[in-house]
Structure formats: structure tokens, C-alpha cells
Amino acid sequence: MSGKMVPSYSWSSAPLPELFRFSPRSNQAHKIHWQPWGKAAFDEAIRLDKPIFLVISSLWCQWCHIMDETTLSEPSIITIVNNDYIPIRVDSDLRPDVNQRYNQNGWPSIVLLSSEGEILWGGVYVPPKQMLYYLGHIRRYYSEHRTEITEQVHELQDQRFTRKLTQTLLGSRLRSLLQEERCALEDLPLQAGTVLRDLYDADYGGFTIHPHLKFPHPEAFELLLLLARRDQSDPDALAMVLYSLEQMRDGGLWDKEAGGFFRYSAASDWSAPHTEKMLEENAALLRLLVLAAQQTQEQQWRDLAKRLILYVNNTLWQQDIGLFSGSQSADEEYYEPGPYSRASRVPPHIDKTIYTAWNARMISSYLLAAKVLQYPSLETMALRALDGLREHMMHRNGSVYHYAIDGHPTLPGQLADQVWLTRACLDAYELHGRKSYLETAIALMHFACQELLDEHTGLFYDYPADAEAPGRLSLREQPLTENAIAAECLLRMSVHSKRQNLRDTALLVLSGCLEKYRRTGIQGAIYACVVAQTIDNRWLERMP
């Protein structure tokens, strides 16, 4: 041993002092009088009759750093924002609920809001000269048309309420259409596979969704693996998965020096990666690689999975607390090509925030890898992390906190954290057999069913009801992916606990998601995977 003392990590239930996270490079963005998202900021906007200047950024995002260093460091912009607006700064990872409702299809999102939280204008990275124009234009428009804006806000809010009521009534009606929905569910996996084939890029693998961006979409490839396993006479599905993995590995999405997958590419051949590395995406890609290795028995996928695990262990694993960091920041200069380009540079920043859902996804992937690759050490790490989440991130009411910074857990009750942690607990229980993991899973889903389940639509909301939630957070949503994972968890729990009502609730969730899936496209691949597994496990045959 070296004799160096490892600093102890102290967990605390005390609230974390409000903090804003800026670019690690020199900037003046902190001179803006930022407020956190919350009722206090909106109340001040209403009292002072000022619009809101909302910035949604992320610690790993290179253009967020550039926005801090340029536009948000411009003295004239700082003065105008402080004088004429109520500035609110939101980190999209810390507040996924706000990001879901106000993101402008990219980071950083700049959104100018009415004091009630309705969008007046929005965009992604805005250079200083353009920002000055929009700040002046919106402030004048807001002052001159305040009455008209207020009327439009109320009209929008009424429309949303009416639409929500219609969805609720439709959800009640759907409960009487179960036989029709069962047929639709049975047909869905093959239909989803047809859609993926239409989107598939035969030249470079992956899917062509956006002309200038290419994301890996691991869940869509997992669905193709499921379809290939179902129909072994059709080799196309498996070939699409394997060719795409080869292209990602060799084309630029994979970091050949340090390992790990970058988040996405700005070129169809994967050659222009945006260099942030996310725990969540790498967890999903590790799961895909392990499943590919299991299905093909090809050594190359076992090897790539091992190299990905090595990156995660070396870079994202926090040995002192036994949990995973959230991300590694983008840094285009650091990743410039050349054999010695990284030798003299500081590696990109690691966000050591503990995100429950992302940790849970990596825990599940490690447990799967431990079983398939026969690495007991991965199971040990995964169970240590899972026990850490259960000990430090659980709220006393049965919910789970979304994130923890410096040992301070915050933001309980988000559906994503509830269901992904439930899934990890079930994975651990099925692999290890420890009853406490099943008990934790039951407690997590009990909270979800008590506080998040809408009895009319049969779907789960994304967070608990809050009468004081400002802006668009006053209207909760029922996200497809998290509802699908909730249904999967309930089905698996019904098998272990022999409780019919859990299976019935799960099948109602799946049937209630049908219309959402038809409007979602490739992002609904997880739902299609859960439906396929439900059919294959013959759970659908016992549909109520």
C-alpha cells in the first residue's frame, strides 16, 4: 500500500446548497443573477412583471461551455438579463422534468418565457449579436402586448387541460377494448421491426432519422436481436445489428484510445463524433454488446464488451463510494486525431454526480455481463453499487432520489429512477437470490402505484403531483419508455410474488401505451422490446 489516506465520503440528508455549474474554462456567466427553477423565481417574475430568461445546459455539453464563455459572458447581455428578465438556470441532468418540457431540441437551450412559464421564443446556442436582438425584441413585445400574452397563456392552459381530460376519458374507454388491444400488441413487434428495416442505413449501419445526426439507438438493435432469435430463418435482423456495431466501433463512435462510446455522430458514417460519453448510453450499449456476444458466440463482441467495461471501471467508477459517475465531458480539442494529441492534455472533466437511473442501468448491464462473460468481479461491483443506492438514495416514503452531489441526495419521486432501480433490483434478485432485493423492488413499485399511477388511463406519471409546480410542470406527463419498464417490472414481480393484480396492472399499462407508441417512432423501441418479451413469456395469453 502507498500509505496515502483515501478521503472519506460523507452522505448527508441535509439539503444541498443551491449551485450552478458553468464551463470549466474562463467565463463570466456567473455574473448573471441566476435563480434555480422553482416557485420563488416565477412569483418574482409575476410580481415584477418581467419575462423569464431560461437556460438549460449540461455539464458534459461542449456548446454549453461555449455559450458560457461567449454569449453569457458578454457584459451588455449580462446587464440586460439582470435588469429586464428573471434569469433561471437549469442543468438538464439534474432536472430532467424541466428539460423534457422546455428543451429546444438541443443543448444549450435558451428559452424566453412569460412569467407564467409559456414559451415566447426559444432556440439552441445563440451568438452574442443574435442574443442581444432577441432580448430586446422579446422585452419590448412583452411590455406592449402583456394583456394579449396573458389571454393566450390562459387559452393554451385551457387547451392542455381539455386535451388531458380527453386522454383520461379515452383511457377509461380503452379498458373495455382489451381483446382488440391484445391483437394489436401481438402484432406490434413485427410491425416495429418493419419500421426499423425501413430506417436502416445499409451503407454505414445505424438508422437514418436526421440528415445530419446519427445516434446509436441500442434499444432498437436489442429489438432486432429479439426478432432474430424468434425467427432464425431470417438472418437480416441479426446482420443489421452486427454490421452496425462494426461501423460504430470502426467508424468513430468508439474511442479507440481510452475506450467507451461517444454519444452520437454528426456524420452518417460515424466519423464526426460529439465527444461526450454518458453513463446511460454506455450502459445500454454494454447490454447490447453482451446480448450480441451471447447470441452469436463471437469473440469480437466479448472483447469489445470487456474493453467497454475497462473504460467504465477506469473512468466512471468511483471506488471510494462504489458508484458510477454520470458522464465525461465533450472536448473536441482533446480528441483531435494524432498519435500524441492526448499525451500533454488534461482528460475531459468527469461529472461525479450520482444519478440513480443511470447507475441502475449500468448495474443491470454489469449483472448481465457477469453472467454471460463469466466475470464474478462484475457481479461484486454491481451488487456493491446497488446496495449503495438502496442505502443512500432511498427516501423514507418509499421513493428514490434522482441524484446526489457530494453526498447530498435530492429530488425524490421521479418515475425514471423508480423503475430503473426496480429493474436492477429484480436483475440482482434473479441472479443472486437475495430476498431483500425483491422486497426493495416491491417497495419502489408500491410507491409508484400509490403516487404516480393514473387510475383513469392506467399509466404512470413522471413525478408526484405538486400543486405549486410552476410553468409547464403543472401538467404531468406519462412517458412511454418509463411506463414500459414499469410494466416489465410488474410482470416479473408477479411471477416471483404470485400476485395476479401486478400482472393485470402491467398489461393495462402496456395496452394504454399503444397510442403513445404509434406517435413515438424509434424512441419507442424499449416499449416494443417489453411487448415482445411479454408475448414470448406467454403473459399476454392471461390478459384480463
Side-chain angles (χ1 to χ4, degrees):
M1 294 181 63
S2 65
K4 291 183 179 179
M5 295 293 292
V6 177
S8 60
Y9 191 88
S10 176
W11 290 90
S12 172
S13 59
L16 181 72
E18 194 57 51
L19 79 164
F20 301 105
R21 311 200 291 187
F22 301 99
S23 168
R25 296 184 291 268
S26 176
N27 69 88
Q28 302 298 311
H30 62 279
K31 291 186 177 180
I32 294 176
H33 301 158
W34 299 108
Q35 296 192 43
W37 179 275
K39 185 174 181 295
F42 280 83
D43 286 348
E44 184 176 350
I46 292 172
R47 179 173 59 84
L48 299 177
D49 198 21
K50 289 183 177 182
I52 290 168
F53 180 79
L54 172 64
V55 171
I56 302 175
S57 64
S58 201
L59 199 59
W60 44 261
C61 165
Q62 174 129 333
W63 281 100
C64 298
H65 300 166
I66 295 172
M67 186 82 182
D68 281 346
E69 296 153 19
T70 57
T71 305
L72 299 181
S73 290
E74 175 64 37
S76 56
I77 290 175
I78 294 172
T79 299
I80 292 171
V81 169
N82 285 339
N83 290 339
D84 296 344
Y85 288 82
I86 300 299
I88 296 178
R89 189 175 177 104
V90 169
D91 185 298
S92 65
D93 294 338
L94 304 184
R95 291 302 304 262
D97 47 356
V98 178
N99 180 68
Q100 172 69 25
R101 288 157 175 79
Y102 288 101
N103 191 286
Q104 301 297 294
N105 295 316
W107 290 271
S109 284
I110 314 300
V111 198
L112 305 185
L113 309 175
S114 72
S115 57
E116 299 88 356
E118 289 301 328
I119 296 175
L120 304 173
W121 176 87
V124 291
Y125 174 79
V126 185
K129 189 175 292 186
Q130 292 181 23
M131 193 74 259
L132 283 169
Y133 167 77
Y134 287 122
L135 288 172
H137 174 73
I138 293 298
R139 188 64 180 105
R140 286 191 300 273
Y141 178 84
Y142 191 77
S143 299
E144 295 168 2
H145 299 85
R146 189 68 184 99
T147 301
E148 179 184 341
I149 289 171
T150 300
E151 292 174 353
Q152 291 174 347
V153 165
H154 291 158
E155 184 178 341
L156 280 170
Q157 292 172 343
D158 290 343
Q159 288 174 356
R160 288 201 198 100
F161 177 77
T162 302
R163 186 165 64 248
K164 181 64 179 175
L165 181 61
T166 302
Q167 291 172 348
T168 298
L169 294 173
L170 178 62
S172 299
R173 185 174 65 83
L174 284 175
R175 303 286 70 78
S176 64
L177 299 176
L178 290 175
Q179 186 58 41
E180 178 183 331
E181 290 172 340
R182 173 180 168 176
C183 295
L185 288 171
E186 288 174 339
D187 295 338
L188 189 143
L190 288 178
Q191 293 173 353
T194 300
V195 171
L196 295 182
R197 285 179 169 87
D198 291 340
L199 295 172
Y200 180 69
D201 181 352
D203 293 325
Y204 301 111
F207 303 100
T208 303
I209 311 294
H210 190 285
H212 306 299
L213 303 176
K214 193 99 153 302
F215 288 85
H217 295 293
E219 293 86 0
F221 287 116
E222 184 174 338
L223 176 61
L224 290 176
L225 284 179
L226 281 169
L227 295 174
R229 193 162 64 242
R230 280 174 150 201
D231 185 4
Q232 297 182 0
S233 64
D234 178 11
D236 288 350
L238 181 59
M240 286 190 283
V241 176
L242 301 183
Y243 181 69
S244 297
L245 285 174
E246 289 174 1
Q247 292 296 305
M248 292 180 209
R249 178 193 63 195
D250 301 335
L253 198 70
W254 172 259
D255 182 353
K256 293 181 175 62
E257 292 188 44
F261 285 98
F262 299 119
R263 185 165 162 264
Y264 70 100
S265 171
S268 61
D269 63 356
W270 308 101
S271 63
H274 280 224
T275 57
E276 60 267 18
K277 297 177 187 175
M278 312 298 296
L279 179 65
E280 181 182 33
E281 273 80 5
N282 277 280
L285 284 161
L286 175 58
R287 176 182 172 88
L288 178 64
L289 287 171
V290 173
L291 291 172
Q294 184 180 43
Q295 198 154 327
T296 65
Q297 295 299 306
E298 292 182 9
Q299 188 64 35
Q300 61 174 322
W301 308 124
R302 296 176 64 91
D303 291 344
L304 190 57
K306 292 176 185 177
R307 289 163 64 194
L308 177 51
I309 290 165
L310 187 63
Y311 162 75
V312 175
N313 286 352
N314 289 341
T315 308
L316 300 181
W317 175 252
Q318 298 184 43
Q319 176 62 29
D320 56 339
I321 60 172
L323 289 163
F324 298 98
S325 299
S327 62
Q328 185 172 24
S329 293
D331 187 337
E332 306 305 325
E333 293 181 1
Y334 179 81
Y335 291 107
E336 283 179 353
Y340 306 108
S341 60
R342 302 189 198 181
S344 61
R345 295 176 178 164
V346 177
H349 175 75
I350 305 295
D351 177 12
K352 292 191 174 183
T353 305
I354 304 303
Y355 299 98
T356 296
W358 297 1
N359 265 265
R361 294 194 72 168
M362 189 58 83
I363 289 166
S364 289
S365 293
Y366 266 44
L367 290 172
L368 179 65
K371 178 181 178 181
V372 174
L373 304 180
Q374 297 182 329
Y375 274 165
S377 61
L378 294 182
E379 180 181 340
T380 301
M381 290 177 67
L383 294 180
R384 182 187 175 197
L386 182 57
D387 291 340
L389 293 180
R390 293 165 68 220
E391 180 179 359
H392 299 297
M393 298 299 284
M394 294 285 292
H395 190 277
R396 61 181 177 275
N397 66 5
S399 68
V400 61
Y401 290 103
H402 173 59
Y403 70 93
I405 296 177
D406 295 333
H408 294 263
T410 309
L411 195 63
Q414 300 277 311
L415 177 62
D417 302 306
Q418 299 289 137
V419 298
W420 286 110
L421 183 53
T422 301
R423 193 192 212 197
C425 287
L426 291 173
D427 290 340
Y429 175 70
E430 290 167 3
L431 182 66
H432 198 266
R434 190 184 301 169
K435 190 176 180 181
S436 64
Y437 292 132
L438 179 60
E439 292 170 346
T440 301
I442 292 171
L444 290 166
M445 288 310 297
H446 177 76
F447 174 88
C449 289
Q450 291 292 314
E451 301 296 333
L452 303 176
L453 185 62
D454 180 356
E455 295 180 358
H456 298 288
T457 63
L459 298 179
F460 291 94
Y461 287 117
D462 51 353
Y463 53 78
D466 180 359
E468 295 189 345
R472 292 187 175 181
L473 264 72
S474 61
L475 190 64
R476 295 183 292 168
E477 297 183 0
Q478 297 170 336
L480 177 63
T481 292
E482 287 77 14
N483 269 275
I485 297 300
E488 179 200 303
C489 291
L490 288 168
L491 287 167
R492 292 166 66 185
M493 287 164 56
S494 73
V495 172
H496 297 307
S497 65
K498 306 292 191 298
R499 292 174 61 184
Q500 171 85 25
N501 64 314
L502 295 180
R503 187 182 68 229
D504 293 349
T505 300
L507 294 177
L508 290 176
V509 170
L510 289 180
S511 62
C513 284
L514 271 169
E515 287 305 315
K516 285 182 178 292
Y517 171 75
R518 290 169 180 145
R519 297 192 302 268
T520 301
I522 197 170
Q523 301 296 339
I526 285 183
Y527 172 73
C529 286
V530 173
V531 172
Q533 292 165 351
T534 301
I535 296 168
D536 293 347
N537 288 318
R538 306 177 74 87
W539 286 320
L540 203 59
E541 294 180 5
R542 298 185 291 273
M543 196 166 180

